[in-house]
Amino acid sequence: MTGRRLVIDCATPALSIALFDGDRCLAARHEEIGRGHAEALLPAIADLPEGGRCDSILVDVGPGSFTGVRVGVAAATALGFAWSVPILGYGCLDLVAAMARANLRPETPFAVVMVGGHGELFWGLADPVGEAPLVLRSTPIDELAASLDAPLLVGSGAQILADAGARGEVVAMLPDARESLLLPESLRHLPARPVYGRDADAKPMAHAAP
C-alpha cells in the first residue's frame, strides 16, 4: 500500500478508525461506544492528523449493525467525493478472521460469529491459513448452537452462541481498523456498498400493517 489511507469501521459497537501512511499507522481511535456512531465518527476523523486527509479510503461494508454499516459507508462516500479519492470496502467477518489468525494462531478451522439481530447471528467458517473470503450466513441462534461444530468461536456473537449451548472456546472480538493490514490485498477491494447479511429491519410504509 502506498500513500495515505483512512480506514473506517463502524459496523459493530466499536468506533474504529485509523490513518496509515503506507504500512505505518499515523494515528487511530478504537473505542467500544455501542451507539452514536453517526455523531462521533466525523469529529473523530477530524481529530486525526490533517483532518484525516488521505489518498484512499477503506471502509467496513458489513455485515453488522444496519445503522453502523450505513454510517460508515456514507461517511466514506462523502469524504471520498470531497477529497476526490477512491473508496474500497472489506468484510466485517473477514477482518475478524484475519485478526484471529494473527493473534490466536488456530490450527483447525474456526467460526467467526457476529451479532446479527432479530435472534440471528452472522457467521462463517474460517480456514486457519486461508485467505479466501468467508461464506456469509445468517442463522437463528438456537439452530446454529445445535448444529455448529467448531473448536473456536470468535467475534461479538461467540458468547451468545456458547450461552445457547454451542461448544468451543470463546474469544470476544470486534473488527479493529488498526488491524486492517492483516487482510490480504484481495480482500480489501470490495465495492463500497453495504452488505447487510439479511433483510432490513424496517419495512417500507407501503408494506406496513394497517
Side-chain angles (χ1 to χ4, degrees):
M1 182 177 71
T2 58
R4 286 194 174 193
R5 172 173 285 178
L6 173 64
V7 183
I8 299 172
D9 200 309
C10 293
T12 71
L15 172 67
S16 193
I17 58 174
L19 181 64
F20 290 90
D21 187 353
D23 294 340
R24 182 167 63 98
C25 185
L26 299 176
R29 175 180 172 184
H30 181 84
E31 181 183 359
E32 190 169 342
I33 65 170
R35 299 177 180 271
H37 294 78
E39 296 79 14
L41 177 59
L42 290 180
I45 292 173
D47 285 341
L48 295 172
E50 299 180 31
R53 287 298 294 262
C54 58
D55 302 300
S56 64
I57 299 172
L58 185 64
V59 61
D60 187 336
V61 296
S65 158
F66 273 52
T67 300
V69 170
R70 288 195 297 266
V71 166
V73 172
T77 301
L79 292 173
F81 178 79
W83 296 340
S84 298
V85 300
I87 314 161
L88 293 171
Y90 63 88
C92 178
L93 273 70
D94 290 326
L95 179 54
V96 173
M99 291 168 57
R101 291 186 187 105
N103 298 316
L104 304 176
R105 302 194 179 279
E107 297 180 352
T108 59
F110 60 96
V112 178
V113 187
M114 304 300 291
V115 172
H118 288 258
E120 297 193 3
L121 295 170
F122 300 125
W123 67 284
L125 288 176
D127 188 278
V129 294
E131 295 186 352
L134 273 67
V135 177
L136 170 64
R137 300 174 174 88
S138 184
T139 305
I141 295 169
D142 290 341
E143 179 182 330
L144 184 58
S147 61
L148 184 62
D149 181 16
L152 175 64
L153 311 173
V154 302
S156 62
Q159 187 60 57
I160 294 172
L161 192 60
D163 291 344
R167 298 181 179 179
E169 178 186 358
V170 170
V171 179
M173 191 175 293
L174 295 175
D176 188 333
R178 297 169 297 182
E179 304 284 2
S180 58
L181 295 185
L182 293 173
L183 282 166
E185 190 67 30
S186 61
L187 299 185
R188 290 185 251 154
H189 280 79
L190 298 181
R193 296 193 296 268
V195 175
Y196 292 127
R198 57 179 173 81
D199 292 337
D201 295 338
K203 292 181 171 55
M205 290 298 294
H207 295 163

